[in-house]
């Protein structure tokens, strides 16, 4: 009689059986969750890199202009030609200059935000740093082209301050100068610096926030001057953030082709060379070889940074 009064359990559906499977074997759920991103990463990202590397070992038939699908190092030897080597050196130099300038400008901003900005001021800091990232990339670059043009606001400001001759003297410098800032390497450098600076400020600020204030007080109590505290306490502890920011600014500058295409002289950077070779020239192997260069440079940079212990505190 009592058994008849017990409620009958409803039959188990597919959802219940699936839940039971996940409970008994958690690795099945983990595999299902990781499969889509790993498949995307393996096929789309790694697969495209492998295809890129493979095509860089092809060559172009000089007579027909057709791609010869035979493995050779001839295409990489073309990178050593003076014109191609100049493109690589020019891009790497610009990337290094942008990274160094970004670190110098970002450090005081990040230090103030980490040590002194509180409440609404810190929110205003994040808004000020992130706000340029919310606008269109092309709009920002074209706006800077107008700002740096010969009739732009920068030239007008220099002339208004009576420093027009100073600007003309800077533009007369053979390597970095030009007819105006918008057609010079200096203008390209300024636009790169503006666009990628937030990518240096944010990781540096996060790294500085992890520096204990007690260490700064202890350094002062032991008689260290501000410069000594900066060199021996703040900078070593903030180095992971500097390295993280430099990875962003250096790699993004290496691969960018839009900024040099809009602002600057007619001399090519790596990104422009890749775009031109695979588009107008149709030289896919040489374009692939050029595209491999930034990857190799970043691998060397990361290996050196790791050897120096820059990632130990990450």
């Amino acid at each position: 009689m009592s058994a008849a009064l017990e409620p009958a359990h409803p039959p188990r559906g597919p959802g219940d059986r699936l839940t039971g499977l996940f409970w008994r074997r958690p690795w099945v759920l983990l595999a299902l969750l990781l499969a889509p991103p790993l498949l995307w990463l393996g096929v789309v990202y790694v697969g495209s890199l492998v295809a890129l590397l493979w095509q860089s070992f092809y060559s172009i038939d000089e007579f027909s202009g057709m791609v010869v699908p035979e493995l050779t190092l001839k295409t990489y030897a073309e990178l050593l030609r003076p014109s191609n080597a100049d493109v690589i050196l020019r891009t790497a130099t610009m990337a290094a200059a942008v990274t160094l300038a970004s670190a110098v400008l970002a450090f005081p901003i990040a230090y103030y935000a980490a040590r002194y900005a509180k409440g609404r001021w810190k929110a205003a800091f994040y808004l000020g740093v992130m706000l340029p990232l919310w606008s269109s990339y092309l709009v920002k670059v074209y706006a800077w082209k107008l700002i740096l043009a010969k009739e732009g606001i920068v030239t007008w400001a220099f002339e208004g301050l009576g420093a027009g001759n100073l600007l003309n003297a800077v533009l007369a410098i053979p390597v970095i100068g030009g007819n105006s800032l918008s057609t010079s390497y200096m203008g390209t450098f300024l636009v790169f610096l503006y666009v990628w600076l937030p990518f240096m400020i944010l990781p540096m600020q996060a790294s500085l926030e992890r520096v204990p204030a007690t260490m700064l007080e202890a350094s002062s109590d032991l008689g260290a001057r501000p410069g000594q505290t900066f060199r021996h306490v703040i900078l070593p502890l903030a180095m992971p953030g500097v390295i993280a920011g430099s990875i962003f600014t250096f790699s993004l500058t290496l691969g960018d082709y839009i900024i040099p295409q809009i602002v600057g002289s007619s001399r090519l950077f790596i990104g422009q060379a890749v775009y031109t070779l695979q588009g107008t020239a149709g030289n896919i192997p040489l374009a692939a070889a050029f595209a491999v260069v930034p990857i190799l440079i970043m691998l060397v940079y990361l290996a050196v940074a790791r050897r120096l212990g820059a990632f130990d505190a990450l």
Side-chain angles (χ1 to χ4, degrees), residues 1 94 173:
M1 188 71 172
M94 178 65 75
I173 299 176

Side-chain angles (χ1 to χ4, degrees), residues 50-60 67-76 285:
V50 171
L52 175 71
L53 180 63
W54 189 267
Q55 292 185 40
S56 67
F57 290 102
Y58 290 167
S59 63
I60 286 287
V67 176
V68 180
E70 298 177 358
L71 299 184
T72 178
L73 294 176
K74 178 182 176 181
T75 304
Y76 281 98

Side-chain angles (χ1 to χ4, degrees), residues 58 98 124 154-155 158 181 185 189 215 241 251 254 275 297 299:
Y58 290 167
V98 170
V154 174
T155 304
F158 269 91
L181 285 174
Y185 285 141
F189 167 79
M215 296 190 68
S251 62
L254 276 179
Y275 178 79
I297 293 175
L299 288 176

Side-chain angles (χ1 to χ4, degrees), residues 11-295:
R12 298 184 62 187
D16 294 330
R17 289 194 293 270
L18 189 61
T19 302
L21 175 64
F22 291 155
W23 182 80
R24 291 190 304 271
R25 296 180 175 85
W27 61 269
V28 176
L29 177 61
L30 180 62
L32 290 175
L33 291 175
L34 293 180
L38 289 178
L39 186 64
W40 174 270
L41 182 66
V43 174
V44 177
Y45 183 69
V46 178
S48 62
L49 286 179
V50 171
L52 175 71
L53 180 63
W54 189 267
Q55 292 185 40
S56 67
F57 290 102
Y58 290 167
S59 63
I60 286 287
D61 185 87
E62 296 180 357
F63 179 75
S64 64
M66 301 296 293
V67 176
V68 180
E70 298 177 358
L71 299 184
T72 178
L73 294 176
K74 178 182 176 181
T75 304
Y76 281 98
E78 293 185 29
L79 294 178
L80 301 179
R81 293 180 179 177
S83 58
N84 294 332
D86 286 345
V87 172
I88 297 173
L89 180 61
R90 184 181 307 119
T91 308
T93 302
M94 178 65 75
V98 170
T99 300
L100 181 61
S102 297
V104 173
L105 288 179
F107 202 95
I109 300 173
Y111 186 82
Y112 176 82
R115 289 292 163 200
Y116 301 106
K118 305 293 181 183
R120 294 181 178 178
W121 284 109
K122 178 158 286 191
F125 160 78
Y126 283 114
L127 182 63
V129 173
M130 298 293 292
L131 192 60
L133 301 178
W134 298 346
S135 58
S136 170
Y137 176 81
L138 283 176
V139 169
K140 290 186 292 186
V141 177
Y142 274 110
W144 270 98
K145 183 176 179 64
L146 295 177
I147 292 172
L148 299 175
K150 197 156 191 167
E151 302 81 12
I153 189 173
V154 174
T155 304
W156 173 81
F158 269 91
E159 292 178 352
L161 295 173
N165 293 331
L166 176 62
L167 178 61
N168 293 330
V170 173
L171 291 175
I173 299 176
V175 177
I176 64 175
N179 294 328
S180 66
L181 285 174
S182 64
T183 58
S184 66
Y185 285 141
M186 186 179 300
T188 309
F189 167 79
L190 291 175
V191 180
F192 270 133
L193 184 60
Y194 167 79
V195 172
W196 305 138
L197 186 60
F199 294 92
M200 178 67 79
I201 294 176
L202 293 176
M204 193 177 291
Q205 185 263 345
S207 181
L208 287 169
E209 280 192 340
R210 294 198 294 266
V211 177
T214 54
M215 296 190 68
L216 305 182
E217 296 173 0
S219 176
S220 179
D221 293 341
L222 292 172
R225 294 187 294 272
Q228 293 175 318
T229 301
F230 173 78
R231 291 193 305 271
H232 299 292
V233 179
I234 298 177
L235 189 58
L237 293 176
M239 190 54 65
V242 177
I243 295 297
S246 67
I247 292 172
F248 287 115
T249 56
F250 192 80
S251 62
L252 291 171
T253 305
L254 276 179
D256 193 288
Y257 78 95
I258 295 178
I259 291 177
Q261 187 78 13
I262 298 175
V263 180
S265 67
S266 59
R267 294 182 179 179
L268 298 179
F269 283 73
I270 289 179
Q272 293 172 285
V274 173
Y275 178 79
T276 303
L277 288 169
Q278 65 85 29
T280 305
N283 193 340
I284 301 296
L286 186 55
F290 261 115
V292 171
V293 172
I295 299 175

